Amino acid sequence: MKAAHHYAVRLSWTGNRGTGTSGYREYGREHTITAAGKHSIDGSADRTFHGNADRWNPEELLLTALSQCHMLSYLHVAVRHGVTVVAYTDDAVGTMEQLPPGGGRFTSATLRPRVTISDPRQLDLAQSLHAEAARECFIAASVNFPVGHEAMTVPEVVTGAESAE
């Protein structure tokens, strides 16, 4: 049986500078994203598209969703396989191409997770779990461009004081 999950967000445009969209450069791209019970996210367009560079843009949020989903899937898969993850970072990158007359699309994303595990004997297993996590990521399964993975798995470094305990 398929389970359906539903989500709701509110986006409110805050970029009316007094004349609405009377001209392409006359309005701000600023907006606020909210959802019940959560902190708001200040958004805008990418600076290239006259946005505010201090706010999150849709392209960054898409890349963030891919990275976040892979991490959450990976942590779940690690538990299933008995791998203890003690740290996780990802320096994800994505490429979007602009198409005439002004649209565009993402052509690729590459996730670069660096995972630290507690047991160095599980390095190969932990590294292999990225493929399973990628198959389980809902967001990656929903996009129409390739999502690559350049994962690195390293053992936890135990200092002298910690190893004496």
Side-chain angles (χ1 to χ4, degrees):
M1 176 180 188
K2 293 181 183 179
H5 302 271
H6 304 278
Y7 304 91
V9 298
R10 168 170 271 191
L11 184 134
S12 301
W13 176 51
T14 58
N16 184 349
R17 296 178 180 155
T19 60
T21 57
S22 61
Y24 185 70
R25 296 183 187 271
E26 303 305 315
Y27 67 96
R29 277 61 173 177
E30 295 82 8
H31 54 274
T32 303
I33 304 163
T34 58
K38 297 181 181 173
H39 296 284
S40 63
I41 297 173
D42 291 331
S44 186
D46 184 297
R47 185 75 188 127
T48 303
F49 308 111
H50 306 284
N52 182 335
D54 294 333
R55 291 173 169 241
W56 289 90
N57 66 56
E59 296 81 12
E60 291 167 329
L61 291 172
L62 176 59
L63 192 57
T64 298
L66 287 164
S67 176
Q68 186 178 17
C69 186
H70 183 80
M71 180 198 70
L72 295 169
S73 297
Y74 183 85
L75 296 175
H76 177 74
V77 168
V79 168
R80 276 201 319 240
H81 288 273
V83 173
T84 301
V85 174
V86 296
Y88 187 111
T89 59
D90 187 2
D91 294 310
V93 295
T95 301
M96 184 189 79
E97 67 178 2
Q98 215 173 332
L99 303 169
R105 65 182 188 94
F106 265 76
T107 57
S108 68
T110 303
L111 307 181
R112 295 180 175 147
R114 179 180 169 93
V115 179
T116 305
I117 62 169
S118 63
D119 186 350
R121 297 169 298 179
Q122 294 182 313
L123 284 172
D124 290 338
L125 171 60
Q127 184 71 18
S128 74
L129 297 180
H130 286 283
E132 188 174 337
R135 288 190 300 273
E136 293 191 11
C137 176
F138 306 133
I139 305 299
S142 301
V143 299
N144 66 353
F145 54 86
V147 179
H149 302 86
E150 296 174 1
M152 178 188 299
T153 307
V154 297
E156 180 177 29
V157 176
V158 180
T159 63
E162 293 171 333
S163 62
E165 293 178 1

